[in-house]
Amino acid sequence: MTMSRPTMALLLAVLAGLFTFPFYGGEFYVEMMAEMMILGIFAMSLDLLIGFTGLISFGHAAFFGFAGYMLAIVTPESEPIAIWWALPVCLAAVAVAALVIGWFSVRTSGIYFIMITLAFAQMMYYYFNENQDLGGSDGKFISWDPMVAIGDWQLLDLSDLTTLYYVCFGSLIFVYLLLTVMLNAPFGQVIRGIRANENRTRALGFATFRYKLVSFVIAGTLAGFAGFLEAVRTDFANPAYLGWHESGLVMMFVILGGMGTLYGPALGALILGLLKSEMQDYIERVNLVMGFFVIAVVLFLPHGVAGLVERLGRPKATDDGEAAP
Amino acid sequence: MTDPIPQTPILQTQALTKAFGALVAVSNVSLDFAEGRVHAIIGPNGAGKTTLINLLSGDLLPTQGTIAYRGEDITHLPSNAVSQMGIGRSYQKTNIFPDFTCLQNCWLGAQSRLNTSMKFLRPARTYRRVMERAERAIEQCGLTHRRDTRAAAMSYGEQRQLEIGMMLATEPGLLLLDEPLAGMGPDESGQVIDLIKRLSQHHTVILIEHDMDAVFAVADLLTVMVNGEVLETGTPDQIRASQAVQDAYLGTEDGGHHG
Ligand SMILES: Nc1ncnc2c1ncn2[C@@H]1O[C@H](COP(=O)(O)OP(=O)(O)O)[C@@H](O)[C@H]1O
Ligand SMILES: [Mg+2]
């Protein structure tokens, strides 16, 4: 991954803006920006699949929503649960779900992969939507935020908005760095090869199924991490978060943001998420407007927001490809 | 050129057959490939040469028959497992990663020789041994000056060279070369023929090639295929002298340009 200096400057400016935002932003907007950063993590996790492995999952929200239900399930009514328990248990459950779903879906490709991931996600959606013990279509309230404490010493209070905001901010950076490191490591070289030409990658000696499956599990788990944060933020497990609307929305972030760049989908989530919630107040048919917006971006910005940023950054690009692996 | 009687074959096929529906592309092929030799397979277009290579490399599964490598049955192994056994191949139809640089293309081949690539932390470029293997492959295939060029931006001939470089980066002992000279200019062909000669000193080579001058220059043994079947196997001199081959192949329009 190469990133031009202007792009890097822009991203640092965005980060600086996000970092200082709670000092001047109103509570409503701070809460909203926290949500956008969570969606940014969610979008980057899907970019690992779409932009780097070449797996177009249309069921990625299943892991996002499932993590919220896991938190609802493990949190007792009477007292908060330690995050040292809650987070690993929720992520492990999501990872197992991703392993099972991936085991079946990763051996298919193209349109079949899209359909099978959608089908699995819809199955999970209906399961939670119909399950009255978990609140059915109303969803389930999570009575306590997980406790971040060592012994009696509370490190962070996640019910405090500013604290939660910075947890989301830190998580966004953490997930970006984590994915960047992985993508530059040998694992990343293999999945990029798979995306470009799976048969040739296999012929070079790689058991491609395994690498795709691991990529699927990592992406699902990171989506679960985003879903966990979202459940903490809203104190709620919501069946709609598993549905295809949500999967479609995050896919839009990835494609419009610029797949295969990580920061593009994160920017896509920030920009489009904001646009969407802003428009919601004024325009009834917000999805229609979003639809036109998508068409416009696809037509005029083939590489998404990231492509635009790069183009503005280096107008006379003589793109001779990426640097050494 | 030398003694045509093979020692223990490094690769052996028995009654190997591949049918695509009603079309039998490879029919009942039983061949022994001797270790350390250059064994060329010639035949007109559509004779089934590429399909045979695809069966040997695990890119395709045979309909019938068996393949043994150093005495071990590899008939049903997928291509990644075949590659890991030390069998490398190049493709007739250029099959590279166009958006990767030359180095990145070879890198992936070289990296496949790590015990596992399920490594998530250390940057790939810090794996010194992998880098050395990749650089050596680039040098061998003659693309040192193109190291950091995107593959898609290289000439067709250079892409053909890269095709061989990627294979060499996996450090195979047995090379399956499917028309490595196809589409190359005379200079590049000359280079690649020299490369094959050099490689043949330490590798077993199975070579499919249309350029008869090249074939007769490098091959120890020749097999002629027609319509999916083996017509004849022999030394270059025997094949040149064979009436059956003359009639079926070297004299026909398809392969006649060198006959
Ligand atoms: N994947 C395939 N599906 C159907 N027919 C094929 C396939 N691959 C090759 N063939 C057919 O098999 C025959 C042999 O092809 P091929 O092995 O490419 O011959 P050669 O390499 O000797 O020119 C041809 O008739 C070709 O059309
Ligand atoms: Mg062929």
Side-chain angles (χ1 to χ4, degrees), chain A residues 181-182 184-187 189-190 193 196-197 200-207 210-211 214 320-323 325, chain B residues 79-80 83-84 91 95 97 101 104 107-108 111-113 117-125 127 150 163 166:
Chain A
V181 166
M182 268 175 28
N184 283 325
F187 175 77
Q189 309 306 313
V190 179
N197 186 341
R200 181 55 159 176
T201 305
R202 193 185 299 116
L204 286 177
F206 296 102
R210 250 181 265 165
Y211 290 89
V214 168
D320 228 17
E322 299 171 18
Chain B
S79 61
N80 56 294
S83 163
Q84 293 295 352
Y91 289 80
N95 198 357
F97 301 98
T101 63
Q104 285 171 318
W107 176 276
L108 208 52
Q111 192 189 291
S112 72
R113 301 304 114 165
S117 284
M118 290 287 179
K119 295 172 187 285
F120 301 90
L121 295 178
R122 221 176 105 191
R125 78 187 111 74
Y127 286 76
R150 249 177 95 234
E163 179 70 44
M166 287 169 72

Side-chain angles (χ1 to χ4, degrees), chain B residues 83-212:
Chain B
S83 163
Q84 293 295 352
M85 299 199 77
I87 302 177
R89 76 162 293 182
S90 74
Y91 289 80
Q92 176 179 3
K93 191 165 162 285
T94 308
N95 198 357
I96 57 180
F97 301 98
D99 289 330
F100 288 13
T101 63
C102 203
L103 177 65
Q104 285 171 318
N105 270 280
C106 292
W107 176 276
L108 208 52
Q111 192 189 291
S112 72
R113 301 304 114 165
L114 292 174
N115 287 334
T116 171
S117 284
M118 290 287 179
K119 295 172 187 285
F120 301 90
L121 295 178
R122 221 176 105 191
R125 78 187 111 74
T126 63
Y127 286 76
R128 175 105 44 92
R129 300 273 302 279
V130 178
M131 184 63 93
E132 282 167 11
R133 268 200 293 274
E135 305 252 19
R136 194 174 330 126
I138 290 177
E139 190 190 318
Q140 280 179 297
C141 72
L143 288 174
T144 309
H145 60 296
R146 289 301 214 177
R147 182 182 182 274
D148 296 314
T149 307
R150 249 177 95 234
M154 303 196 311
S155 75
Y156 183 74
E158 288 171 333
Q159 292 182 5
R160 301 290 306 152
Q161 286 168 268
L162 178 57
E163 179 70 44
I164 297 173
M166 287 169 72
M167 174 198 66
L168 292 177
T170 66
E171 301 201 319
L174 168 62
L175 314 180
L176 311 174
L177 302 174
D178 194 355
E179 303 209 17
L181 306 180
M184 279 189 175
D187 279 0
E188 292 159 334
S189 301
Q191 274 182 36
V192 172
I193 293 170
D194 288 346
L195 172 62
I196 295 172
K197 278 187 187 154
R198 253 180 290 130
L199 289 171
S200 68
Q201 291 166 8
H202 303 285
H203 297 77
T204 307
V205 179
I206 299 177
L207 170 71
I208 294 178
E209 189 42 64
H210 257 304
D211 182 333
M212 288 305 145

Side-chain angles (χ1 to χ4, degrees), chain A residues 26-269:
Chain A
E27 192 173 312
F28 174 80
Y29 287 99
V30 171
E31 175 114 35
M32 195 162 84
M33 287 312 294
E35 181 186 357
M36 298 315 140
M37 292 191 292
I38 290 170
L39 290 177
I41 296 172
F42 188 18
M44 287 193 293
S45 76
L46 183 59
D47 195 26
L48 176 63
L49 288 184
I50 296 186
F52 291 96
T53 322
L55 292 171
I56 303 179
S57 168
F58 199 179
H60 204 51
F63 308 117
F64 183 76
F66 180 44
Y69 273 100
M70 280 308 299
L71 180 61
I73 290 166
V74 300
T75 304
E77 298 268 328
S78 51
E79 56 175 353
I81 181 173
I83 198 161
W84 319 127
W85 282 111
L87 186 60
V89 169
C90 291
L91 294 189
V94 174
V96 169
L99 184 66
V100 172
I101 293 178
W103 180 264
F104 291 103
S105 30
V106 153
R107 52 191 86 233
T108 67
S109 61
I111 190 80
Y112 298 101
F113 183 78
I114 298 177
M115 296 311 289
I116 196 169
T117 47
L118 174 64
F120 272 115
Q122 287 303 95
M123 264 166 55
M124 285 177 66
Y125 165 77
Y126 282 114
Y127 173 78
F128 287 108
N129 199 54
E130 308 298 315
N131 189 328
Q132 294 312 320
D133 293 339
L134 294 170
S137 58
D138 292 337
K140 186 160 175 17
F141 183 66
I142 301 168
S143 326
W144 303 88
D145 282 323
M147 201 170 47
V148 189
I150 296 173
D152 288 337
W153 179 39
Q154 190 178 35
L155 294 173
L156 298 169
D157 176 9
L158 293 181
S159 59
D160 175 67
L161 178 58
T162 312
T163 305
L164 183 69
Y165 179 93
Y166 282 110
V167 167
C168 295
F169 179 74
S171 300
L172 182 73
I173 295 174
F174 170 73
V175 170
Y176 176 81
L177 293 178
L178 183 75
L179 285 170
T180 303
V181 166
M182 268 175 28
L183 286 165
N184 283 325
F187 175 77
Q189 309 306 313
V190 179
I191 61 171
R192 287 166 202 250
I194 290 172
R195 174 169 187 242
N197 186 341
E198 181 175 358
N199 283 333
R200 181 55 159 176
T201 305
R202 193 185 299 116
L204 286 177
F206 296 102
T208 54
F209 171 75
R210 250 181 265 165
Y211 290 89
K212 290 199 290 181
L213 184 58
V214 168
S215 177
F216 193 84
V217 171
I218 293 171
T221 308
L222 290 176
F225 180 51
F228 182 92
L229 291 173
E230 179 67 359
V232 171
R233 188 185 74 82
T234 57
D235 300 326
F236 214 73
N238 186 344
Y241 278 167
L242 289 94
W244 67 268
H245 268 104
E246 195 73 10
S247 291
L249 186 71
V250 68
M251 193 187 281
M252 222 160 69
F253 295 158
V254 171
I255 294 170
L256 299 186
M259 54 183 163
T261 60
L262 284 186
Y263 72 88
L267 279 181

